[in-house]
Amino acid sequence: MTDYIFIDDKNKAFGKVVEDKLYELNFYNPELYNIYRARVVGRIDSINAYFLLYDKDKRGFLKTKKSFKIGDSIIVQLVKEGFDDKLPTMSANFRIENEEYYLYRFKNKGYPKLKKNRFYNKKSYNDLINLRDKIIREENFTPSPKLILSQNELDFYIEENKELELAKVDIVNDKLFKESLKSVRKDKLYRGNLSIIINELETLTVIDVNSSKKNSTLNESDFFYQINKSILEFIFYNIKLRNIGGMVIIDFLRSSRNDNLINLVKETIVKFFENYEIFGFTKMGLFELSIERKGERLKDKLKKRGYLK
C-alpha cells in the first residue's frame, strides 16, 4: 500500500501518503465549514463588522457590507478557526457542495458550478439549489443560535480521494510521520549530493539550490542544468508537504539553459499543484512563481498543536 489516505481520530489529523512518502498532513476542526443560524450580539460600525453567537457560549467574527441589528439572526459559515485571542471567522457567503457541484450563496448569482472533471447531472444540480434554498429559509426561524448543516473538512477530503484506500493511524507513534516531522523542522534538506535551503519568510519563501558534487564530464552550464533538473521534484514535493504558498523564489545554479528549465518546471509543478503562476527568471537570475495555498502552512499548524517548538 504505497498510496493511501489516513485518519488519526485521536489527534484529529488526516492526510495522504504517495509512493511511501508523506504528501499532505492536515488537522481538522469538527466545526470548520459548518453552517449556523447565528445571532448578532455586537457590532463595530466603523469597519462593518459583527460579533455573532453561533453556538452555546461560542462567538465568531463577521465582516460584511450588509447591515444587521443586535438580535438579528443570520445564516453564516465558519470558514477560519480561531486561535489565541482571535475569534473564528464567519462568512455570510456560505458554500455547499455535492459530488458534482459546488455552490456559494452569493457568487455566480447563486447557481451551482460544475467541479473539475465532473459531468452534468440534473438531479445533483437541482438538489444543491434546493439545499441552498432550505438553508436560506432557516434565517427566518428561531431559536438562534442553531447548527443548520454539518459539513466537515475531513468528509470533503475522503470524498475527493475516494479512489484511495483509507488507513487508521496514530501520527504520534507513526514512523513515517516522525521522519517527516524531522524534515519539516529543518531548513536545509539533502538529496544525495544535492541540497536545498528553504527560508519561509512572512511575505515570501526563498529556496536555494546547492551541490557538493565536483566532478563531471559536462561543461559547467550543462552540469548545473542537470543538477537543477534532478532536484525539481524534490523542491516541489517539499513545498507541497509544508503547504507553502504565495510568492516563491528559487535560486537555481546558474546555467545558460533557463528556457529548458522553465519547460521542466511546467511539466513538474502540475504533479503537485492546481493553482499557480510562473513568472520565470528575473534579470538577477532568480526564478519566481506564485502558488495558491489552502489553509495555514504546515509549520504553523504543527506549532499550534505543540508538535514543533
Side-chain angles (χ1 to χ4, degrees), residues 233-250:
E233 290 220 8
F234 187 67
I235 290 172
F236 287 121
Y237 163 72
N238 280 283
I239 292 175
K240 178 72 175 180
L241 174 62
R242 293 169 181 238
N243 199 28
I244 292 171
M247 183 61 71
V248 177
I249 295 175
I250 305 175

Side-chain angles (χ1 to χ4, degrees), residues 77-228:
Q77 185 171 42
L78 197 157
V79 294
K80 186 176 181 180
E81 297 176 77
F83 63 95
D84 294 334
D85 59 345
K86 292 187 177 181
L87 295 174
T89 301
M90 319 301 285
S91 173
N93 188 28
F94 63 76
R95 170 179 164 138
I96 53 177
E97 61 182 272
N98 56 27
E99 192 169 340
E100 282 80 25
Y101 296 92
Y102 65 90
L103 179 155
Y104 287 93
R105 179 175 183 177
F106 299 121
K107 285 184 181 178
N108 196 41
K109 298 182 179 179
Y111 291 107
K113 292 280 288 184
L114 194 63
K115 291 182 178 179
K116 189 176 181 180
N117 299 324
R118 301 293 184 178
F119 300 97
Y120 174 74
N121 182 309
K122 185 177 181 179
K123 183 178 185 303
S124 290
Y125 185 94
N126 290 331
D127 284 348
L128 210 55
I129 290 177
N130 291 335
L131 177 59
R132 176 205 62 196
D133 293 343
K134 180 181 178 182
I135 292 171
I136 292 173
R137 286 196 296 271
E138 286 284 345
E139 212 156 41
N140 301 316
F141 300 148
T142 56
S144 294
K146 179 185 177 183
L147 173 63
I148 302 300
L149 180 67
S150 176
Q151 44 179 20
N152 194 280
E153 184 181 11
L154 174 59
D155 296 332
F156 291 150
Y157 193 81
I158 293 173
E159 175 62 28
E160 289 173 359
N161 296 278
K162 62 184 179 182
E163 74 281 359
L164 296 176
E165 290 187 47
L166 176 62
K168 296 278 188 175
V169 302
D170 176 3
I171 61 172
V172 174
N173 298 305
D174 184 84
K175 181 179 178 181
L176 187 63
F177 174 76
K178 287 181 178 179
E179 290 300 317
S180 299
L181 194 60
K182 288 180 184 177
S183 172
V184 172
R185 282 195 182 104
K186 299 174 182 176
D187 294 331
K188 189 169 186 176
L189 305 172
Y190 290 90
R191 185 175 179 270
N193 293 320
L194 310 181
S195 67
I196 59 174
I197 299 174
I198 303 177
N199 293 306
E200 297 183 53
L201 308 175
E202 283 297 318
T203 56
L204 58 85
T205 298
V206 180
I207 300 174
D208 187 34
V209 177
N210 298 286
S211 173
S212 60
K213 190 174 180 181
K214 303 296 184 182
N215 299 321
S216 174
T217 58
L218 300 173
N219 64 54
E220 185 177 77
S221 181
D222 287 343
F223 176 53
F224 287 165
Y225 169 73
Q226 291 299 328
I227 290 174
N228 293 333

